[in-house]
Amino acid sequence: MEAILVSACLLGIPCRFDGRHKVSSAIEEAVAGREVVSFCPEVAGGLVTPRGPAELVGGDGHDVLDGTARVVDDTGRDVTAQFVNGARRALTAARNAGCAEALLMPRSPSCGSGAVYDGSFAGELVPGDGVTTALLERNGIAVRPAPGV
């Protein structure tokens, strides 16, 4: 059975910044017949639930990995180290399970794929990837945003 890494919040685990989850029937259909590896990089990186929202500042997840951007929460606290740590742990979990693909939470500063919030906390999206998505993609794991979320 082929394994797939999936954002834990998409599987009903209340680990999002607001203490909620984003489970949907579309997710269940998307992973049917596969071994699911549930993972929340933000919690694995040391952040608590609930927590303040965080956004990427100065670029996207690729830029964070390159050291030219950072992740900050809505109080201005730099949480870059926790996001990078969580991304590394997600990569390890994916590799250990033999995942070639990940289904992750859209728009998230960790898991976003193709679009993330711009760092202004005004709800504006810009092209880019989250930190975990960037690290997984750099290591050959295909990332796609979750359907229906």
Side-chain angles (χ1 to χ4, degrees), residues 23-88:
V23 70
S24 76
S25 59
I27 303 303
E28 294 172 9
E29 292 173 21
V31 299
R34 300 182 73 178
E35 176 187 343
V36 174
V37 178
S38 174
F39 202 86
C40 177
E42 294 175 24
V43 171
L47 297 172
V48 299
T49 303
R51 58 191 167 275
E55 293 190 5
L56 297 155
V57 175
D60 75 347
H62 294 278
D63 300 311
V64 169
L65 295 175
D66 293 339
T68 61
R70 59 196 180 102
V71 187
V72 298
D73 71 14
D74 62 343
T75 68
R77 184 179 130 210
D78 189 318
V79 290
T80 304
Q82 292 91 333
F83 274 72
V84 171
N85 184 34
R88 289 181 180 144

Side-chain angles (χ1 to χ4, degrees), residues 3-144:
I4 184 169
L5 185 77
V6 180
S7 293
C9 63
L10 298 172
L11 298 170
I13 298 171
C15 57
R16 286 174 35 92
F17 75 94
D18 58 6
R20 297 181 180 180
H21 61 74
K22 284 285 190 174
V23 70
S24 76
S25 59
I27 303 303
E28 294 172 9
E29 292 173 21
V31 299
R34 300 182 73 178
E35 176 187 343
V36 174
V37 178
S38 174
F39 202 86
C40 177
E42 294 175 24
V43 171
L47 297 172
V48 299
T49 303
R51 58 191 167 275
E55 293 190 5
L56 297 155
V57 175
D60 75 347
H62 294 278
D63 300 311
V64 169
L65 295 175
D66 293 339
T68 61
R70 59 196 180 102
V71 187
V72 298
D73 71 14
D74 62 343
T75 68
R77 184 179 130 210
D78 189 318
V79 290
T80 304
Q82 292 91 333
F83 274 72
V84 171
N85 184 34
R88 289 181 180 144
R89 290 173 183 248
L91 176 60
T92 298
R95 283 180 170 162
N96 288 345
C99 298
E101 185 179 18
L103 183 66
L104 302 179
M105 180 65 199
R107 302 172 300 279
S108 159
S110 290
C111 300
S113 178
V116 291
Y117 291 107
D118 70 352
S120 68
F121 293 93
E124 298 295 323
L125 291 171
V126 294
D129 296 323
V131 179
T132 297
T133 294
L135 188 62
L136 293 175
E137 288 179 343
R138 286 182 177 192
N139 285 275
I141 297 172
V143 177
R144 59 187 172 110

